[in-house]
Amino acid sequence: MIASHLSAPVLWTLAGVLGVLAAATVAVFVLARRRPAAATEELRARMRSWWAIVLLFSFALVLSRTAAIVLLGFVSFLALKEYLSLIPTRRADRRVLLWAYLSIPVQFYWVGIGWYGMFVIFIPIYMFLFLPMRLVLIGETQGFLRAVGTLHWGLMTTVYSISHAAFLLVLPADGNPVAGPGFAGGFAEASGAGLLLFLLILTEANDVAQYVWGRMLGRRKVIPRVSPNKTWEGLIGGLATTAALSLLLAPLLTPFAPGHAAAVGLLIGAAGFIGDVTVSALKRDLGVKDSGSLLPGHGGVLDRLDSLTYTAPLFFHYVRYFYF
């Protein structure tokens, strides 16, 4: 009964993700027996983190739509906190940070009640106007532009962008009918949970595919001054893999026709790459390798969310424009 709000395609896809993760864990275990421990320690740490991430997200999604929205709001909080721990701040700035944190429950409240109008303008407009006003009232002008710019960019990246993934959950259920053999006679509603799962799987699979193709075939650097490990071979291989995976999963989780499924796969692949290198540019500017250490093998929360900060809003507005 606890998962009655989820359709069979969504539940089967979650089971498939857990199966892939289990297979990857076995592969890492076999690799660890054949190579020195130092060569596979990072892989083992990554797998432990992936298990924690996938199980926590799956539990929240199965529990209820509200639980999944709250979880994504908490992830936004962790990402913003991590971001603010990296950027230089003045004493005056810290008196404004509370208001930035308070914007998170407000933004996700708009998501929870499905108020698109306030959701889409609250941070870009109201917080954009409010934060500079609060700094002005404090009376601090030294470094004013840098302070308001870095704070609002952080809100847009870690809260506003991620909240688009959460808003997928409150889109009308009947707007996402999917065809699938064996599911309610070949037709079921995957609803917003299917769209969210589709987005997350493709975003993370794109990261993995670009890394694997880059390691196997990578020769020509894309932007070596920003991310030396990114290659054209990895980028193109990731785009092709993500588009193929989109065509495979779209009939189970989305209302996309094949043409739209391929286009969305390419969009997520390209946007994920840009999100990744944008956060890489931020870290290089700040002189840090990882944004944090909360996720062993991955770094910080922002290291894991970098691609999603671009894919979530673009995917959401693509879906809403064409299908809702």
Side-chain angles (χ1 to χ4, degrees), residues 126-145:
Y126 290 116
M127 291 305 294
F128 174 77
L129 298 175
F130 176 77
L131 292 175
M133 179 195 74
R134 189 71 186 91
L135 278 172
V136 167
L137 293 178
I138 291 174
E140 182 64 61
T141 60
Q142 186 70 31
F144 174 82
L145 180 60

Side-chain angles (χ1 to χ4, degrees), residues 4 22 90 93 95 140 146 148 163-164 170 205 215 250 311:
S4 60
R90 309 163 302 167
D93 300 338
R95 296 165 63 183
E140 182 64 61
R146 180 185 180 119
V148 295
S163 68
H164 283 77
V170 301
R215 286 295 297 268
T311 62

Side-chain angles (χ1 to χ4, degrees), residues 109-184:
Y109 173 73
W110 307 136
V111 172
I113 65 174
W115 190 353
Y116 177 78
M118 282 302 295
F119 156 77
V120 81
I121 67 172
F122 174 65
I123 289 178
I125 296 180
Y126 290 116
M127 291 305 294
F128 174 77
L129 298 175
F130 176 77
L131 292 175
M133 179 195 74
R134 189 71 186 91
L135 278 172
V136 167
L137 293 178
I138 291 174
E140 182 64 61
T141 60
Q142 186 70 31
F144 174 82
L145 180 60
R146 180 185 180 119
V148 295
T150 54
L151 184 53
H152 194 256
W153 190 87
L155 274 179
M156 290 292 291
T157 302
T158 62
V159 181
Y160 186 65
S161 290
I162 302 304
S163 68
H164 283 77
F167 206 99
L168 291 169
L169 290 168
V170 301
L171 291 174
D174 57 3
N176 184 20
V178 297
F183 298 126

